[in-house]
């Protein structure tokens, strides 16, 4: 087959009478002016915030079309990520619609996820997860009828009550048999968004919860493949709704009731192709297993790396999430079936007589106060609250159950011991002082802070941050804030809050009696704060619950055959979702949660971004083990995010050789290809900052040290290695004995001082016999004292900035070149004239 002939390029035709030199001067000046403008233009808003960086390169925008009664041709909808998808949140935004009315539920969008058989045609309406939503917003049902839609001609079966509906047909299994059939999805777990009203400008945005087949097997996204092995696409369907029903009726006194699946409404759909990452396990199950365990701050990164590690290795690596203390204890005495590599924030302290432990930095992340906060500014005027500031005392108030909303429902009386305290954080004068833009009612606030019950290093880091602030510390001790708010007295008891606390206690178990409905009179249950704001299993689950606006609050008591039980509150509609919690930054980014800005030691309110995380790493002091950075929220300054943390992979040198080789491979991958940010398998998920270059080198050297095993007694352990006596090792360069046992793996210096923990020459090894055991101060040779560009990985904003300066250079060069010709020509003419007239 011959290639089509490319179109001819039209050459510019000079304007009559324009001199070539003048044209070049004009072009040159234009290029220089363009360069100046480019240099002065600010980067787009948020370009430096990698926490929000999803695969924007796969964003797709599509327009609506005219309908029989409503014209959607000005509507433009953007799905901000359509490739590399997994279970996550994806932003959907739109412009060009008509504003929703103050009264009446018109002019809104409905969004659903679907599977399909034909990659060219997309899905039909039986293949879409839609309906069964809580609180029954308008247009939620799967009911259809020729009576309400003249174009409805499909002969659907009726349910036992005689209602005609669009059945849901899953990838495999029987179709649903009624509109209320919850075989596949229900009000508590459906991801369809049926009522997203346009704002006063006819615009709006929402975050849609994408589900892979691991969460919604019936959709099969990421699991279904073609004959050639390619992953089949799924679909996002957006149905715009106007001011008319399919029969032409436009009555503002009644809500829009017909389903998005009704034929006339479905015909107006806007369809987006979705490409999911494969979810099939590509690792050979017959391969022997190597177990890694530890911090949740490493979970997303480690699981992202698993496929690539298996593909090129002899073992499959599994990750067991646990508290870091448990992981540290396990790796000190690993067996063939237990974890030989721990992901931890604090270092492993090897006891006397044990083999040394090597530490390698593998990930930079941190804790985030993630939230979704919608509130009603006026009648049917819903707005997202995105910019929230929280200080340490506000966090202390929320974590000590000092707001009544964390203890009782809005219908219950405030407990006597909390009288005078704001019921909700949105009514706290301190919160309003920090957040003057919030103009909703106090009850338009999250009822509490979602937390986990795990014992973790990161929980201790949070308490260190709170207790380092004098105002927060005094509040916890019983001192009222300037507006008279007091701490919940249950937290004044000895031992509840301590400097070494590594979990979030719910100390107030005061019961509230709740009458039950649906049974004999007099049946009651006792509800405590643990039912009002339940613990989450882990931070990932907390992020999902916050994203959905449903944290599992148990307000209602129901009776079934004289047995009482809690019924959770129905899931909020998208416009009334408001929840907040402590989550890891990777989960916050994954589910597109907003992040609260927190004050650092300078009093500057900072959000977690690549830049602020790496600035924090640069300011972290060493822990008790040299070369292992200690999170120190109270010391963060100059734009550093206070709740940043470095995850270290720790392994004992006393393991079998093959185990050490396998775990060394994990470290090498984590510090190499695993630091490339992206959404594909093997890449570093967004929400992590790429390791600084020096830390990558440190990790690679740690891998070499691990693979080599226990060194001779004449060699000194390197930075990040604990020697058999449990004391910190020396610098990462070689020891004075000339061996290469140091973590730095540097060349023999013939007895000179080795490099520091970054491999930087000239830093002396710490004296293990020194009496000062305090944390060393940060120095100019600190391995993490580098900016984002020095991390060796490029974020989207890095690339944008790099491209901008490259273009700037090209424009300047082009301008100079364009000017040089005419200038040199004029000079040569002048010289020639001068030469001709010289005697």
């Amino acid at each position: 087959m011959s290639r089509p002939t490319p179109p001819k390029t039209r050459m510019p035709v000079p304007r009559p009478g324009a001199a070539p030199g003048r044209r070049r001067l004009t072009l040159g000046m234009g290029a220089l002016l363009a360069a100046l403008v480019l240099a002065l233009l600010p980067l787009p808003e948020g370009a430096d915030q990698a926490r929000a960086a999803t695969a924007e390169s796969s964003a797709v925008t599509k327009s609506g079309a005219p309908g029989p009664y409503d014209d959607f041709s000005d509507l433009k909808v953007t799905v901000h990520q359509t490739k590399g998808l997994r279970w996550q949140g994806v932003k959907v935004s739109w412009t060009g619609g008509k504003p929703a009315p103050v009264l009446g539920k018109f002019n809104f969008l409905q969004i659903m996820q679907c599977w399909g058989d034909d990659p060219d045609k997309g899905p039909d309406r039986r293949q879409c997860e839609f309906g069964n939503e809580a609180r029954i917003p308008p247009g939620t049902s799967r009911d259809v009828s020729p009576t309400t839609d003249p174009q409805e001609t499909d002969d659907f079966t009726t349910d036992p009550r005689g209602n005609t509906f669009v059945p849901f047909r899953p990838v495999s299994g029987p179709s649903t048999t009624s509109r209320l059939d919850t075989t596949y999805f229900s009000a508590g777990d459906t991801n369809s968004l049926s009522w997203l009203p346009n704002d006063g400008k006819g615009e709006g945005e929402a975050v849609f919860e994408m589900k892979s087949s691991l969460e919604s097997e019936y959709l099969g996204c990421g699991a279904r493949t073609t004959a050639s092995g390619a992953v089949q696409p799924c679909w996002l369907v957006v149905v715009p709704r106007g001011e008319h029903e399919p029969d032409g009726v436009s009555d503002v006194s009644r809500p829009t009731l017909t389903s998005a699946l009704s034929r006339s409404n479905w015909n107006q759909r806007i369809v987006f192709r979705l490409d999911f990452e494969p979810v099939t396990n590509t690792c050979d199950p017959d391969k022997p297993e190597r177990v890694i365990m530890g911090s949740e701050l490493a979970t997303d990164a480690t699981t992202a790396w698993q496929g690539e590690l298996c593909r090129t290795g002899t073992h499959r690596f599994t990750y067991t999430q646990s508290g870091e203390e448990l992981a540290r204890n396990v790796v000190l005495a690993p067996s063939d079936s237990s974890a030989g590599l721990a992901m931890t924030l604090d270092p492993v302290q090897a006891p006397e007589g044990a083999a040394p432990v090597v530490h390698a930095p593998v990930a930079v992340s941190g804790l985030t106060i993630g939230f979704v906060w919608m509130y009603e500014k006026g009648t049917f005027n819903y707005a997202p609250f995105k910019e929230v500031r929280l200080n340490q005392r506000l966090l202390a108030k929320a974590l000590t159950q000092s707001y009544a909303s964390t203890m009782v429902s809005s219908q219950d009386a405030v407990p006597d011991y909390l009288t005078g305290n704001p019921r909700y954080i949105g009514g706290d004068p301190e919160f309003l002082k920090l957040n003057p833009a919030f103009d909703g009612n106090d009850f338009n606030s999250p009822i509490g802070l979602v937390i986990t019950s795990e014992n973790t290093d990161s929980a201790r880091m949070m308490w260190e941050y709170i207790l380092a602030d004098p105002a927060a510390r005094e509040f916890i001790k019983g001192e009222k804030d300037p507006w008279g708010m007091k701490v919940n007295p249950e937290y004044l008891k000895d031992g509840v809050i301590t400097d070494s606390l590594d979990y979030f206690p719910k100390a107030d178990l005061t019961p509230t009696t709740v009458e039950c409905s649906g049974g004999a009179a007099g049946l009651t249950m006792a509800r405590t704060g643990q039912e009002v704001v339940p613990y989450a299993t882990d931070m990932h689950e907390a992020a999902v619950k916050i994203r959905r606006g449903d944290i599992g609050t148990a307000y209602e008591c129901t009776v079934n055959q004289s047995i009482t039980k809690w019924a959770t509150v129905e899931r909020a509609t998208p416009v009334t979702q408001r929840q907040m919690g402590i989550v890891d930054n990777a989960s916050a980014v994954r589910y597109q949660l907003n992040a609260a800005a927190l004050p650092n030691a300078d009093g500057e309110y900072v959000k977690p971004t690549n830049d602020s995380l790496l600035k924090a790493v640069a300011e972290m002091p060493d822990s008790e083990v040299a070369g292992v950075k200690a999170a120190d929220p109270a010391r963060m300054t100059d734009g550093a995010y206070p709740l940043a943390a470095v995850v270290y992979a720790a392994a004992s040198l006393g393991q079998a050789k093959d185990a050490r080789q396998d775990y060394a491979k994990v470290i090498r991958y984590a510090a190499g290809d695993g630091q490339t940010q992206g959404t594909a398998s093997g890449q570093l998920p967004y929400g992590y900052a790429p390791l600084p270059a020096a830390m990558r080198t440190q990790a690679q050297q740690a891998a070499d040290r691990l693979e080599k095993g226990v060194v001779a007694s004449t060699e000194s352990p390197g930075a990040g290695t604990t020697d058999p006596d449990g004391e910190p090792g020396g610098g990462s360069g070689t020891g004075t004995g000339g061996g290469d046992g140091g973590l730095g793996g540097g060349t023999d210096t013939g007895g000179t001082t080795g490099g520091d923990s970054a491999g930087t020459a000239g830093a002396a090894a710490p004296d293990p016999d020194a009496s000062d055991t305090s944390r060393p101060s940060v120095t100019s040779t600190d391995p993490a004292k580098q900016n984002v560009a020095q991390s060796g990985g490029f974020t989207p904003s890095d690339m944008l900035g790099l491209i901008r300066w490259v273009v700037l250079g090209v424009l300047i060069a082009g301008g100079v070149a364009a000017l040089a010709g005419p200038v040199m020509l004029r000079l040569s003419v002048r010289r020639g004239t001068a030469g001709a007239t010289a005697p």
Side-chain angles (χ1 to χ4, degrees):
M1 173 180 276
S2 61
R3 295 182 178 178
T5 303
K8 294 182 179 179
T9 303
R10 296 184 61 184
M11 300 299 293
V13 179
R15 289 184 293 109
R22 183 173 299 173
R23 286 197 304 275
R24 284 195 292 270
L25 281 169
T26 302
L27 290 172
M29 290 302 296
L32 288 175
L33 286 172
L36 180 61
V37 171
L38 180 65
L40 294 177
L41 280 175
L43 287 172
E45 182 182 358
D48 61 337
Q49 296 187 16
R51 61 163 275 103
T54 51
E56 284 284 345
S57 60
S58 66
V60 174
T61 300
K62 291 189 175 184
S63 299
Y69 307 107
D70 296 288
D71 186 1
F72 303 108
S73 56
D74 291 333
L75 178 68
K76 295 186 182 299
V77 180
T78 300
V79 178
H80 290 254
Q81 182 184 350
T82 59
K83 297 180 183 297
L85 297 168
R86 55 177 177 161
W87 187 17
Q88 65 177 89
V90 171
K91 179 181 174 182
V92 180
S93 61
W94 62 94
T95 61
K98 291 184 178 180
V102 174
L103 294 175
K105 296 181 179 178
F106 299 113
N107 299 328
F108 59 96
L109 298 189
Q110 299 182 289
I111 308 178
M112 64 199 80
Q113 185 178 342
C114 314
W115 67 280
D117 300 303
D118 191 332
D120 297 321
K121 294 182 179 179
D124 70 36
R125 47 191 173 154
R126 291 169 296 182
Q127 297 170 313
C128 296
E129 179 172 342
F130 185 79
N132 285 331
E133 286 195 50
R135 303 182 189 274
I136 317 177
T140 307
S141 171
R142 298 185 74 93
D143 286 355
V144 295
S145 170
T147 303
T148 57
D149 186 351
Q151 296 189 40
E152 190 58 68
T153 58
D154 287 351
D155 185 21
F156 292 120
T157 58
T158 58
D159 64 15
R161 295 187 177 184
N163 298 305
T164 304
F165 71 102
V166 179
F168 174 71
R169 179 164 65 89
V171 169
S172 61
S175 297
T176 53
T177 57
S178 79
R179 61 179 179 139
L180 301 178
D181 190 335
T182 58
T183 301
Y184 302 106
F185 49 87
S186 65
D189 60 10
T190 182
N191 63 351
S192 62
L193 301 177
S194 66
W195 186 42
L196 299 168
N198 303 337
D199 64 15
K201 298 179 181 179
E203 303 173 355
E205 68 176 56
V207 174
F208 189 87
E209 181 190 345
M210 297 289 183
K211 292 183 180 180
S212 76
S213 66
L214 298 178
E215 297 75 44
S216 297
E217 186 178 7
Y218 46 85
L219 292 175
C221 299
R224 302 173 65 234
T225 58
T226 64
S228 63
V231 176
Q232 291 191 2
C234 277
W235 308 91
L236 193 72
V237 174
V238 178
V239 177
R241 306 298 296 272
E243 298 175 359
H244 298 81
E245 289 285 23
D247 58 3
V249 173
S250 177
D251 184 357
V252 296
S253 66
R254 72 175 191 178
T256 305
L257 297 177
T258 55
S259 170
L261 304 181
S262 191
R263 172 55 67 183
S264 294
N265 299 327
W266 179 256
N267 287 346
Q268 297 299 128
R269 68 192 182 279
I270 306 171
V271 181
F272 296 84
R273 174 181 170 134
L274 304 175
D275 290 306
F276 278 75
E277 285 293 300
V279 298
T280 52
N281 189 352
T282 57
C283 195
D284 184 354
D286 292 331
K287 284 187 175 182
E289 183 183 42
R290 292 285 186 212
V291 182
I292 308 169
M293 71 181 299
S295 177
E296 186 172 0
L297 265 62
T299 299
D300 262 25
T302 307
T303 53
W305 298 331
Q306 282 176 322
E308 286 302 304
L309 289 168
C310 177
R311 185 179 62 82
T312 58
T314 58
H315 284 69
R316 55 188 175 92
F317 295 91
T318 58
Y319 190 70
T320 301
Q321 183 178 295
S322 72
E324 292 90 348
E325 183 66 23
L326 174 61
R328 288 191 288 268
N329 291 333
V330 169
V331 297
L332 283 174
S335 65
D336 292 340
S337 58
S338 69
L341 190 69
M343 297 295 182
T344 180
L345 308 188
D346 294 343
V348 178
Q349 296 285 2
E352 183 178 355
V357 175
V358 68
H359 296 81
V362 292
V364 174
S365 186
L367 293 182
T368 298
I369 310 300
F371 65 92
V372 173
W373 195 331
M374 296 291 295
Y375 69 101
E376 194 171 7
K377 299 179 67 174
T379 304
F380 292 108
N381 183 13
Y382 299 96
F385 191 34
K386 294 183 177 180
E387 299 298 325
V388 170
R389 288 184 170 190
L390 298 175
N391 61 21
Q392 294 93 326
R393 186 161 56 194
L394 286 170
L395 291 173
K397 293 173 179 179
L399 288 172
T400 57
Q401 298 174 286
S402 297
Y403 295 112
S405 61
T406 65
M407 293 298 302
V408 296
S409 74
S410 58
Q411 290 79 30
D412 295 330
V414 173
D416 291 341
Y417 55 89
L418 294 180
T419 300
N421 283 4
R423 182 183 281 265
Y424 301 93
I425 190 173
D428 188 337
E430 184 169 19
F431 176 84
L432 295 173
K433 182 179 179 180
L434 282 177
N435 300 277
F438 179 69
D439 56 357
N441 295 315
D442 61 343
F443 57 81
N444 292 149
S445 308
I447 61 173
L449 204 60
V450 185
I451 51 179
T452 74
S453 60
E454 292 183 304
N455 298 75
T456 63
D457 293 352
S458 55
R460 181 166 52 249
M461 176 175 68
M462 173 63 79
W463 285 116
E464 288 176 357
Y465 174 62
I466 292 172
L467 294 172
D469 177 68
R473 186 171 60 251
E474 293 306 311
F475 177 82
I476 291 174
K477 289 181 178 180
E479 182 177 315
K480 293 182 179 180
D481 77 358
W483 299 272
M485 184 173 177
K486 55 186 177 295
V487 70
N488 186 320
E490 290 296 322
Y491 289 83
L492 292 175
K493 297 177 179 178
D494 290 341
V496 177
I497 305 296
T498 65
D499 292 336
S500 59
L501 190 63
D502 66 351
Y503 73 104
F504 302 111
K506 289 184 182 290
D508 189 350
L509 298 178
T510 305
T512 300
T513 300
V514 179
E515 293 186 359
C516 300
S517 60
L523 294 176
T524 62
M525 289 185 71
R527 179 180 57 221
T528 70
Q530 291 205 37
E531 282 77 43
V532 177
V533 184
Y535 278 116
T537 303
D538 57 22
M539 290 187 285
H540 179 272
E541 182 187 65
V544 173
K545 289 185 172 184
I546 294 167
R547 175 73 272 156
R548 293 177 176 176
D550 179 10
I551 62 173
T553 295
Y555 275 153
E556 301 170 355
C557 170
T558 61
V559 180
N560 184 9
Q561 297 180 348
S562 299
I563 299 176
T564 59
K565 66 176 183 178
W566 287 119
T568 58
V569 175
E570 281 192 330
R571 184 173 172 182
T573 60
V575 296
T576 58
Q577 293 175 350
R578 39 186 173 267
Q579 300 294 350
M580 179 183 293
I582 299 175
V583 299
D584 62 296
N585 196 49
S587 293
V589 173
R590 178 171 178 170
Y591 295 101
Q592 296 282 287
L593 304 182
N594 295 306
L598 304 177
N600 60 18
D602 289 335
E604 177 186 6
Y605 282 81
V606 184
K607 292 184 179 182
T609 66
N610 275 4
D611 186 50
S612 65
L613 290 172
L614 290 175
K615 284 181 177 179
V617 173
E619 296 189 16
M620 290 179 185
D622 274 352
S623 66
E624 291 80 2
V625 174
V628 177
K629 295 294 177 183
D632 195 346
R635 297 179 59 155
M636 300 298 102
T637 59
D638 192 24
Y641 181 66
L643 296 180
V646 180
V647 180
Y648 287 85
S652 170
L653 300 188
Q655 299 182 76
K657 181 178 180 180
D658 59 339
R660 288 188 282 103
Q661 289 175 331
D662 287 336
Y663 289 127
K665 177 185 175 182
V666 173
I667 294 172
R668 290 192 182 100
Y669 184 85
D673 291 344
Q675 292 301 311
T676 301
Q677 284 187 302
T679 59
S681 174
Q683 294 183 324
L684 184 69
Y686 292 110
Y688 294 95
L691 283 175
M695 278 192 162
R696 296 191 192 195
T697 300
Q698 182 183 352
Q700 298 287 0
Q701 293 166 345
D704 294 342
R705 180 75 180 90
L706 176 60
E707 193 167 42
K708 185 173 182 178
V710 178
V711 297
S713 59
T714 56
E715 301 178 48
S716 64
T721 307
T722 304
D723 71 13
D725 295 324
E727 295 292 340
S732 65
T734 60
T736 57
D740 60 352
L743 181 144
T747 57
D748 182 8
T749 58
T752 60
T753 303
D756 68 3
S757 61
T760 303
D767 181 2
D769 297 322
S771 58
D772 182 9
T773 58
S774 62
R775 294 172 177 171
S777 299
V778 178
T779 67
S780 59
T781 58
D782 190 287
K785 209 166 188 62
Q786 305 171 60
N787 58 28
V788 180
Q790 289 174 305
S791 68
F794 291 103
T795 67
S797 61
D798 295 332
M799 292 303 299
L800 180 59
L802 179 61
I803 291 170
R804 176 161 73 163
W805 291 110
V806 169
V807 173
L808 176 62
V810 171
L811 286 171
I812 292 175
V816 172
L819 291 172
V823 171
M824 293 303 296
L825 180 62
R826 287 173 180 256
L827 287 174
S828 65
V829 170
R830 289 179 181 177
R831 286 185 178 181
T833 303
T837 57

